[in-house]
Amino acid sequence: MPIAKSRGANLYYETAGSGPPVLLISGQGMTLAAWWRTVGELSRSFRVLSFDNRDIGRSSRTAWPYVVAQMADDALAVLDAAGVERAHVYGMSLGGMVAQELAIRHPDRVSALVLGSTTAGGPEAIVDPQPLTFFVRVGAMASEEAEWAAVPYNYSLRTRREHGDRIAEDIARRIEHQTDTLAYLHQVAAAATHNAVGRLGSIKAPTLVVCGEEDIVMPPLNGRLLAQGVPGAQLKTWPDAGHLYTTDEPEADRHIRRFLIGQALGATDLRAA
């Protein structure tokens, strides 16, 4: 079982595919299994690394709170353990915050950056109190109950009406490894204290910011503000998509794969990639 070690934490990771490396960083309370659709798409062209954040899945538990910067050190430890000097980095939600921190603190290790359903934090961050209250409480629920209760927050209206099978497939994978209440609260606190607003200008990696127009967990204005703060960043907003846009809109991961290929090839039109 591949393990990376980072400041007392053992981090479980997996590798799929071959080619230039891409590191995937999961969102709050999510194991690497949440990336199952993305791994299938990106591994067509890349060596894809995914891992369980500390406190989550098959990684070790932590008794004390931590911050996003420590989670970025964990991500770096995964790259080191996998023998990767430089990688594309793709993070969603809390994972997108970690990806920002990694790109700011270690610009030499990040080739390109994809920031999905996330925020730079700080006083200008747009937060809807209802989803925030729900996700503070959800850590106390049983795993499967929590997943189904979160469906209206995670998925678009179209997906909930027409593609319940996609939601069921996601949940079946996510409940294989439960997240305990303390771990969930640790990650809520880490996300709540994230603030990269004054440092976004130091990000050198080509950056794509992705969000769903129906995202009520991380309203899309956060993505627009993030894209404005990162020099040269591209913004892609998907209609009929919510927080977990990779399920709502299958084209999203194909678009991201083309973006990452483009960073390697310098191409401007990658529709056939």
Side-chain angles (χ1 to χ4, degrees):
M1 186 170 75
I3 293 292
K5 295 185 177 295
S6 176
R7 298 188 179 185
N10 293 329
L11 306 166
Y12 174 79
Y13 72 94
E14 294 181 354
T15 303
S18 61
V22 178
L23 178 68
L24 304 179
I25 308 179
S26 303
Q28 183 174 295
M30 297 285 193
T31 71
L32 60 80
W35 290 107
W36 72 280
R37 298 177 190 276
T38 301
V39 170
E41 178 64 31
L42 296 188
S43 62
R44 295 171 55 199
S45 305
F46 299 97
R47 178 191 179 195
V48 180
L49 301 169
S50 55
F51 69 103
D52 290 337
N53 287 312
R54 62 172 60 211
D55 263 350
I56 302 296
R58 284 163 283 188
S59 291
S60 58
R61 300 297 180 263
T62 303
W64 303 104
Y66 43 88
V67 295
V68 167
Q70 290 170 274
M71 297 179 74
D73 289 342
D74 292 346
L76 192 67
V78 173
L79 291 180
D80 289 341
V84 174
E85 283 295 318
R86 190 175 176 87
H88 303 312
V89 177
Y90 176 8
M92 283 189 69
S93 198
L94 172 59
M97 302 176 200
V98 177
Q100 293 166 47
E101 196 69 32
L102 184 60
I104 290 167
R105 290 162 51 106
H106 301 282
D108 57 317
R109 305 296 296 272
V110 180
S111 299
L113 190 61
V114 180
L115 305 173
S117 298
T118 194
T119 177
E124 295 184 355
I126 310 302
V127 178
D128 185 330
Q130 182 179 356
L132 180 62
T133 301
F134 170 79
F135 282 106
V136 169
R137 292 187 291 109
V138 78
M141 298 180 186
S143 180
E144 188 166 1
E145 176 191 9
E147 290 291 351
W148 285 107
V151 165
Y153 298 96
N154 283 331
Y155 299 97
S156 71
L157 181 61
R158 181 183 66 179
T159 300
R160 299 198 310 268
R161 285 179 172 174
E162 301 176 10
H163 301 292
D165 56 324
R166 294 182 192 169
I167 296 173
E169 287 174 328
D170 284 358
I171 290 175
R173 285 166 171 79
R174 291 203 296 264
I175 64 174
E176 289 178 2
H177 299 280
Q178 297 186 8
T179 300
D180 62 59
T181 301
L182 181 59
Y184 205 90
L185 292 175
H186 281 163
Q187 296 207 338
V188 168
T193 56
H194 169 66
N195 186 349
V197 173
R199 299 175 293 143
L200 293 177
S202 67
I203 293 178
K204 306 302 182 186
T207 300
L208 173 65
V209 178
V210 186
C211 50
E213 196 61 53
E214 293 184 22
D215 191 345
I216 60 174
V217 177
M218 198 62 65
L221 181 55
N222 290 290
R224 297 184 185 106
L225 293 172
L226 185 55
Q228 290 170 9
V230 177
Q234 300 178 33
L235 174 66
K236 180 63 176 178
T237 302
W238 294 98
D240 298 315
H243 193 58
L244 299 183
Y245 59 81
T246 55
T247 298
D248 292 326
E249 179 47 76
E251 179 59 27
D253 277 330
R254 292 191 285 269
H255 181 87
I256 290 164
R257 185 174 70 89
R258 290 193 295 268
F259 168 78
L260 294 176
I261 291 172
Q263 302 316 305
L265 300 181
T268 58
D269 186 353
L270 293 160
R271 287 171 293 182

